[in-house]
Amino acid sequence: MRTGTPLLSSLSRALAMLEAIIAEGASRSVAAIARDLGVPVATAHRQVASLVADGYLARQGKGFHVAGPRLLKLLGQIDEKQVIANCAAPVLHRLAGQLGCVVQLGTLEADMVTYRIKAGEGAGDLFTRVGMQLEAYCSGIGKVLLAWLPAGDREAYLATGPFPPLTARTITEPAALRHELARVREQGFAMDDGEIAEGLQCLAVPVRSPDGRVLAALSASRGAAQVAAIPSDAILADVRLAAAEVEDILAGVLAT
């Protein structure tokens, strides 16, 4: 009995040719690559001609090919951190419903936190929004991302302090923030307790790529009433489980 969706073998062969051309097409002919792949040379030439016509490949001299404008444009839209966000989205939406609070995922660009996912009851009331960039030193997500920067990059960031206070709790002195980031690395999570906004507590944990790099952070944000109702340890445990699930999904996606 046939199970699952049938695959298009012709598409698989064309994609294999595209991958091989990108890897070697500027230095080897289509015929040579076709022989390596076990593809008839005439078929390979038809595949490449179609990929050129659609803009995925471009001719580079006689018989050689490189990535075409359509492929380059597509690659420009693919961002490693956005891949993590795509993998994380269903997990975060489920976590938000489970915890009854706002959960977010952010990444670091040019020393600023970019918020890529925001979900949960009351999400519209929280000042952040998807695509917004905020300073890193004063948020749970930002502390996680700063804590796992390479040491030189972290010190370069700290050298830009002191940092403007947003509340009376904001850590503004570089030495104090350095100590806080060391504590975050040691304990494996960060807390922003009224440092970015009065009465708002945020717990954040790292999300790692399969090679171990911390490219994103996942957080749960709660107001004072929610903090009083549910122990932080319970929230942190669920956030950590969600981050681990995102990492497993990401590993599966990148392994395929």
Side-chain angles (χ1 to χ4, degrees):
M1 179 187 295
R2 177 181 294 172
T3 59
T5 302
L7 304 179
L8 294 174
S9 58
S10 59
L11 176 60
S12 297
R13 291 193 296 268
L15 290 173
M17 178 59 67
L18 175 62
E19 184 176 359
I21 291 286
I22 294 302
E24 302 183 276
S27 58
R28 301 185 69 210
S29 68
V30 172
I33 293 172
R35 285 191 289 270
D36 287 349
L37 295 177
V39 176
V41 173
T43 299
H45 278 292
R46 288 197 298 272
Q47 290 172 335
V48 171
S50 297
L51 291 167
V52 169
D54 287 337
Y56 291 103
L57 290 175
R59 292 183 179 87
Q60 180 74 24
K62 188 174 181 180
F64 302 98
H65 297 80
V66 295
R70 191 170 179 182
L71 181 59
L72 292 173
K73 182 178 179 181
L74 180 63
L75 291 174
Q77 296 171 351
I78 298 174
D79 176 89
E80 186 177 35
K81 295 173 182 178
Q82 189 57 44
V83 172
I84 294 177
N86 293 343
C87 292
V91 178
L92 264 68
H93 283 281
R94 188 176 70 246
L95 179 65
Q98 175 185 334
L99 299 181
C101 64
V102 178
V103 298
Q104 301 182 98
L105 183 133
T107 59
L108 194 68
E109 281 81 33
D111 293 341
M112 302 284 284
V113 174
T114 299
Y115 288 84
R116 293 179 178 261
I117 300 176
K118 181 181 181 183
E121 184 178 350
D125 299 329
L126 194 61
F127 58 89
T128 56
R129 65 177 185 276
V130 172
M132 172 185 280
Q133 286 194 311
L134 290 175
E135 296 288 352
Y137 65 91
C138 50
S139 70
I141 285 179
K143 288 181 187 180
V144 166
L145 296 172
L146 292 174
W148 271 279
L149 279 177
D153 294 342
R154 189 167 57 250
E155 286 301 315
Y157 180 88
L158 292 169
T160 64
F163 306 99
L166 301 184
T167 75
R169 291 175 173 267
T170 307
I171 299 173
T172 61
E173 292 301 320
L177 184 57
R178 182 182 294 108
H179 177 76
E180 172 74 357
L181 297 180
R183 187 163 67 94
V184 169
R185 289 195 305 276
E186 180 180 353
Q187 66 190 14
F189 70 93
M191 178 184 288
D192 150 27
D193 194 3
E195 296 166 45
I196 195 169
E198 296 285 356
L200 182 69
Q201 185 189 88
C202 172
L203 290 166
V205 301
V207 177
R208 292 176 170 84
S209 61
D211 61 7
R213 291 173 297 152
V214 174
L215 293 181
L218 189 163
S219 73
S221 300
R222 305 181 294 156
Q226 292 172 307
V227 170
I230 305 175
S232 294
D233 287 349
I235 297 293
L236 180 60
D238 287 337
V239 171
R240 279 177 158 160
L241 285 173
E245 184 178 353
V246 173
E247 291 169 354
D248 287 345
I249 294 171
L250 182 65
V253 167
L254 296 182
T256 56

